Amino acid sequence: MKKYVRVMDGITSNAGGFEYKLNEVNIANNWNPTASSGKEFGGFNYTTEDCILRWLHRGNTIYDVEIPEDAETIKLEGATTIYRTNKIIVSNPRPINDEIALHFYKISNIPEKSYYKALGVVAIMDYKKTAFAILHDKINKNNIDEALDEWNNFITHDNKGDRKDINDTVKEIEANLIKIKQSID
């Protein structure tokens, strides 16, 4: 059986501001499982431990997730597998640090392209060991263009550019990506 998890800032979702109750059933204010866009779906997102790497920027705390038997759930396939539900129980809060991020990287099972965006995720969170592990394991001359596209998309944050100078890890990873790109030009 897969273990389900969710990342939040403390007990609050930074993807909607919902404040969760620990070890109790939380019921979504909005739930529309037939919607065509993420914002219209409502509900609560969660995923498996092997897919959470891509979502570590959603907060500083990871929780175990349990879904009540009477809950409605949908599975969304995309860059990683995400589930949504109208009812969720979160428990066992643990602060996320570089060691935990590295653990999630080592057990991850996401599409190759998702690692390039995950590189941006762990870099902005300043998980330096994890960022350099992804850089060394997943980025090379053969995929640098696609990796840079995903990196730039995530780091520029819809052209706001607000993540470019967020910390030294972002700057170091970007410098290394540019070196890889320049080595083939």
Side-chain angles (χ1 to χ4, degrees):
M1 185 169 133
K2 291 189 176 202
K3 184 173 181 181
Y4 297 110
V5 291
R6 173 180 176 81
V7 174
M8 298 185 287
D9 282 323
I11 59 169
T12 304
S13 167
N14 74 6
F18 186 90
E19 192 168 302
Y20 288 76
K21 298 172 281 188
L22 293 180
N23 304 305
E24 295 181 34
V25 175
N26 293 274
I27 300 173
N29 297 328
N30 175 31
W31 177 244
N32 182 3
T34 60
S36 58
S37 76
K39 289 181 181 180
E40 293 173 4
F41 275 114
F44 306 108
N45 289 340
Y46 64 100
T47 192
T48 54
E49 287 185 308
D50 61 346
C51 289
I52 198 65
L53 179 71
R54 166 65 182 82
W55 302 103
L56 292 180
H57 68 294
R58 292 291 188 178
N60 57 15
T61 308
I62 190 155
Y63 293 84
D64 294 339
V65 166
E66 182 183 338
I67 305 303
E69 286 184 28
D70 64 337
E72 294 180 47
T73 301
I74 56 174
K75 181 178 180 180
L76 304 170
E77 298 285 350
T80 61
T81 301
I82 292 291
Y83 300 88
R84 285 197 188 218
T85 185
N86 64 330
K87 296 179 183 179
I88 194 170
I89 300 168
V90 294
S91 63
N92 192 24
R94 299 163 316 276
I96 303 171
N97 59 30
D98 202 0
E99 296 302 319
I100 290 173
L102 189 58
H103 163 74
F104 286 127
Y105 168 58
K106 289 177 180 178
I107 67 166
S108 64
N109 182 24
I110 58 179
E112 197 66 25
K113 183 178 179 179
S114 295
Y115 285 105
Y116 313 148
K117 196 157 285 189
L119 177 60
V121 166
V122 297
I124 67 162
M125 296 304 291
D126 209 15
Y127 302 143
K128 188 172 184 170
K129 284 189 254 180
T130 309
F132 275 95
I134 295 171
L135 177 73
H136 293 298
D137 294 349
K138 300 292 183 182
I139 312 298
N140 58 55
K141 293 177 183 182
N142 297 322
N143 63 19
I144 188 62
D145 289 331
E146 186 176 23
L148 276 169
D149 284 346
E150 291 296 310
W151 169 268
N152 288 327
N153 175 270
F154 187 78
I155 295 299
T156 60
H157 198 204
D158 294 327
N159 294 316
K160 294 177 197 165
D162 59 348
R163 296 175 174 163
K164 277 284 209 196
D165 297 312
I166 200 165
N167 61 46
D168 288 340
T169 301
V170 169
K171 294 173 190 174
E172 289 178 50
I173 293 295
E174 184 156 51
N176 278 275
L177 290 169
I178 291 168
K179 281 183 194 174
I180 294 169
K181 175 66 176 165
Q182 290 173 340
S183 73
I184 59 172
D185 286 342

